[in-house]
Every structure is written in structure tokens, then in C-alpha cells.
Amino acid sequence: MSKQFSLSVVALAAILGMSAAQADELEVLHWWTSGGEAKAAAELKKQMEAEGHTWKDFAVAGGGGDSAMTVLKSRVISGNAPAAAQIKGPALQEWAAEGVLANIDDVAKAEKWDAVLPPVVANVMKYKGHYIAAPVNVHRVNWLWANPEAFKKAGAKVPTTWDEFFVAGDKLKAAGIIPLAHGGQNWQDFTVFEDVVMGVGGPEFYRSALVKLDPAAINSPTMIKVLDTFKKIHGYTDKNAPGRDWNLATAMVIKGEAGMQLMGDWAKGEFLNAGKVPGKDFVCSPAPGTAKDYTFNIDSFAMFQLKNKDNEKAQKDLAKAIMSPSFQELFNLNKGSIPVRLDVKLDKFDDCAKESNRDFVASSKANTLLPSIAHGMAVPPAAEGAIKDAVSKFWNDDKETSKDAQAEILKASKTK
């Protein structure tokens, strides 16, 4: 990150033309701009305004958050950081190491965060033992979403293995339905890829290859099998996939234009926003071969050091609100995710969320709870970006072999 912070402060300030935040103003950077996400973000805004703070929405479109991070870096370099920004996983540690994040231990201690958060979550929110971010939710990434009417029309069943996926895909194709709704962006490609890594190789292989970046795992025959399977899946997407946003792919499943989507449970927010009922209008199922495993993506807000000390109370109130049981329930009902707190009742949540929560707790105990590299939870951003690019190149290049891709991924994994 230090290299990225070497841009001209004066030039960036001139380009951005940003003014300092007003007193008691709470500027929040996020990328929740699709239907279900925007609804969830509006609830947070409503709660802050009810407490007397002025919410300044700083939304940057783009489901993966890459655009938001580019804008955030510019703001921080120009000395005009927002009060809070949506940052995840190892990137939190990099921002903290730059000395720009605020210590919110006082809020965490008063609200007893250590007692209500799973250790795997609490550790991500800390830098050198101190809280620097507030977690909002837990998303399960390894979900498959299906339109039951499309499957009924095709005479197919929702797959639980990759072999079954291809059988179902052929039947959907024969019925004139796109088997897999997909958007051609590198994080979406990698969401599918890590599902295949888990489904083909299992949790230990996933941990070795995508978390530890172990050269032996990446260079193994298992990885070749993963890549062969991954490439075969590409043939079940449509030619208009490149560049498509994830929520537009979800809409294809909602409308019955496509039978399935491999996407995290934020997709459920789109189904719910469209008035669809889980178990009736859509099916949620773990990605093929991953029924007992769980790849997670945790949304969190990092708190930045502020020039205007008058805004610190609003910032601390935001951290407190994010972790409150009432907000955890309300927000996650809209977002499609599950509360990050272990003490929130799930009475109002649907069966997909309840299954996600059961598997989250069970996976945590079984040590099969694994961070998603596609969503910035597993490895440092530089290596993540390089690996994503290598995987997308393979996905889109008909001439590249699995052996070639294996070598590219191995090289990318060493990026610092």
C-alpha cells in the first residue's frame, strides 16, 4: 500500500475538489448501490440521523469495491478521509499500518464486542490487538441460487456435486434456458473458482492453496482438476456475460432467463427486494460439493482518524450502532446476510439465513470456516489482485491450458 500512497497530494486534492467535513457530519464510504444493498444502507443512515447526526452518503458503485478503494486512497492521500469506509479482511491491516485508522477500543469494551463476536471475526477487526473497525455482517459466499420453475421446465434437479451441475446444465440448455447467470468481472470469476476449489479439493486444500498460498498445493494435480472443472463451467454461461454486474445476473435467475447463479448471499437481497419467497420462488443451496463447508465474507467499516474532532462522537456512535442487536437484525434482514453477533435471535430470518447461521457455527467449530479470497478476506490485496487476474485470463482464453493457468496462478501468488 505504501507504493500506492506515493501519489501527488496537491494534484489529487485539486482533482477531487473535496472540502473538509462539517461539524457533526458523518461521511461514510461504501459500495452498497444495488436494490437490496441500498435498502440496507438506508437503514444505517436512518439510525444515525435519528441520533442527531448528519449523514453524508459517499457511495461508489461496483459490487467488488475496487472503484471505492481507488477513490478512498485518493481521499486519504489528500488529507480528507471520510469518517468511516467499507474495508475488509487483510486490507484493514494495511490501512492500519499506514497510521490512518482510529482506535475504537473504548466502544468495543463498553459494548462487550469480545464476548459477542466469534474470535475469527474479532481478530480481523483488530490491529495489534486494538479494534480499528466494526463488523456489520457475515456473508456466506459458497451459495448456489436456482429458479425452481426453470428447473421444472428443464426436468432437472438442483445440483449438489459438480457432476450433477453439468447434467443439470445440459438439461437447462436443451430447454432454452441459460444454465448459469454470470457477470464477467474478475471477482465474480473468482467467486466461481473458489467454489470449485472447495468443491473439488475440500477445505484443507482450499486453505493450503488460497489462504496459505502454498506452492505445493497450487502446483498439485488437484489444482489441475479444479482448473479443468472451472473451465468446463464457462461453457454453461452466455456470450453476454463479460462486464455484467452481479445483480443483473441475479435478475436473470429471478426472471427465469437463467437457471442458476453462483454468488454470495447478498444475491438473496435481490430476490427478496423483488418480492420473491425463498423455498418457493427461489432455492438456496450450498455450491456443489461444499455442503459442510463455509467460505465467508465479512463487511466491516474502518474508522479513520479525523481532523475535525467534533465528528468523533458521530463516528463512535456509528460503530456502536453497527454492532447493536437491533441494527444487526434490521440490516441483515435487508442485506441477505446473517448477524455477526452470536447473540442475535433469528426468529424473523428465513430458512436460507437460518441454514447459513447453523453452518457458520458448525464450520467455526469444525475449523472449516474459511475466508473468501474473491471478496478480500484471505490474502493481501496485491497477491489477491494478481491471482484474480490470472484466473480471469484463463476463464476467458479458450487457448490457455490448465497447466498454463496453474503456472500463472503460482507466479501471481508470489506477488508482494
Side-chain angles (χ1 to χ4, degrees):
M1 185 173 287
S2 57
K3 293 178 182 176
Q4 294 166 320
F5 271 76
S6 63
L7 298 171
S8 166
V9 171
V10 176
L12 280 166
I15 291 169
L16 293 166
M18 299 291 182
S19 59
Q22 300 301 307
D24 204 34
E25 182 177 83
L26 189 65
E27 187 175 25
V28 182
L29 182 148
H30 63 89
W31 58 86
W32 291 328
T33 55
S34 74
E37 293 176 324
K39 201 172 178 182
E43 292 296 344
L44 188 54
K45 176 183 177 181
K46 191 187 300 181
Q47 185 158 336
M48 287 296 94
E49 290 180 339
E51 292 187 27
H53 303 303
T54 302
W55 176 282
K56 187 176 180 181
D57 204 54
F58 188 2
V60 181
D66 292 342
S67 299
M69 288 304 96
T70 300
V71 174
L72 178 61
K73 285 166 190 169
S74 300
R75 287 287 303 273
V76 173
I77 294 165
S78 66
N80 187 29
Q86 189 180 351
I87 304 175
K88 301 185 298 185
L92 283 169
Q93 314 306 313
E94 292 200 349
W95 281 101
E98 292 292 332
V100 295
L101 297 187
N103 182 320
I104 54 171
D105 278 348
D106 53 346
V107 177
K109 186 176 181 180
E111 299 299 312
K112 300 181 172 60
W113 287 7
D114 279 339
V116 297
L117 288 175
V120 69
V121 175
N123 291 339
V124 174
M125 301 301 126
K126 295 176 181 178
Y127 177 69
K128 294 185 176 179
H130 300 289
Y131 278 99
I132 40 86
V136 184
N137 56 3
V138 175
H139 280 296
R140 186 179 197 169
V141 178
N142 59 313
W143 278 118
L144 180 142
W145 306 93
N147 183 310
E149 281 301 312
F151 272 78
K152 185 178 178 181
K153 181 181 175 182
K157 70 169 187 172
V158 177
T160 59
T161 67
W162 288 113
D163 287 341
E164 290 179 2
F165 174 91
F166 297 122
V167 171
D170 289 338
K171 288 184 177 180
L172 287 162
K173 268 187 184 180
I177 299 166
I178 298 165
L180 184 68
H182 186 67
Q185 296 166 328
N186 71 0
W187 70 269
Q188 293 193 63
D189 297 340
F190 210 95
T191 296
V192 176
F193 180 71
E194 66 183 28
D195 284 344
V196 181
V197 172
M198 182 77 87
V200 171
E204 283 311 310
F205 177 75
Y206 181 102
R207 193 192 312 276
S208 296
L210 298 188
V211 182
K212 296 179 180 178
L213 302 180
D214 179 8
I218 295 172
N219 218 25
S220 68
T222 302
M223 183 58 81
I224 293 294
K225 187 178 179 184
V226 166
L227 288 162
D228 287 346
T229 305
F230 178 65
K231 195 58 166 276
K232 188 176 179 181
I233 293 168
H234 185 269
Y236 291 83
T237 63
D238 68 304
K239 61 179 175 46
N240 296 319
R244 179 187 289 142
D245 285 334
W246 69 269
N247 54 308
L248 298 182
T250 306
M252 292 168 64
V253 181
I254 292 171
K255 295 172 187 174
E257 295 170 3
M260 300 175 279
Q261 182 185 21
L262 288 160
M263 186 54 60
D265 54 18
W266 47 93
K268 188 182 68 177
E270 299 300 298
F271 283 100
L272 298 178
N273 202 45
K276 302 302 180 183
V277 179
K280 177 188 172 187
D281 302 314
F282 66 95
V283 173
C284 56
S285 177
T290 71
K292 294 182 179 179
D293 309 315
Y294 200 110
T295 50
F296 68 83
N297 171 25
I298 298 170
D299 285 316
S300 54
F301 280 97
M303 303 298 163
F304 280 81
Q305 293 178 11
L306 299 173
K307 284 183 178 178
N308 190 337
K309 299 301 179 184
D310 291 339
N311 289 332
E312 287 184 356
K313 183 180 186 307
Q315 186 184 56
K316 290 180 186 295
D317 284 349
L318 174 66
K320 180 180 176 181
I322 284 170
M323 273 289 287
S324 68
S326 59
F327 177 73
Q328 286 276 316
E329 177 184 85
L330 187 61
F331 179 87
N332 287 294
L333 282 170
N334 281 301
K335 186 72 160 61
S337 44
I338 59 172
V340 71
R341 295 178 64 118
L342 294 173
D343 60 347
V344 177
K345 292 182 179 179
L346 300 177
D347 299 356
K348 296 179 183 176
F349 286 78
D350 57 53
D351 289 344
C352 295
K354 288 174 181 174
E355 180 179 352
S356 178
N357 188 70
R358 281 195 304 271
D359 291 348
F360 177 68
V361 174
S363 295
S364 182
K365 290 177 181 176
N367 200 29
T368 59
L369 188 63
L370 294 162
S372 166
I373 189 172
H375 299 280
M377 299 303 303
V379 299
E384 176 194 324
I387 297 168
K388 280 180 177 174
D389 288 344
V391 166
S392 285
K393 180 172 175 286
F394 175 62
W395 176 259
N396 292 303
D397 187 349
D398 292 337
K399 295 179 181 177
E400 185 170 330
T401 67
S402 294
K403 197 71 182 170
D404 292 336
Q406 185 179 46
E408 290 288 334
I409 293 169
L410 182 62
K411 181 182 177 183
S413 70
K414 298 174 182 175
T415 304
K416 301 294 184 186

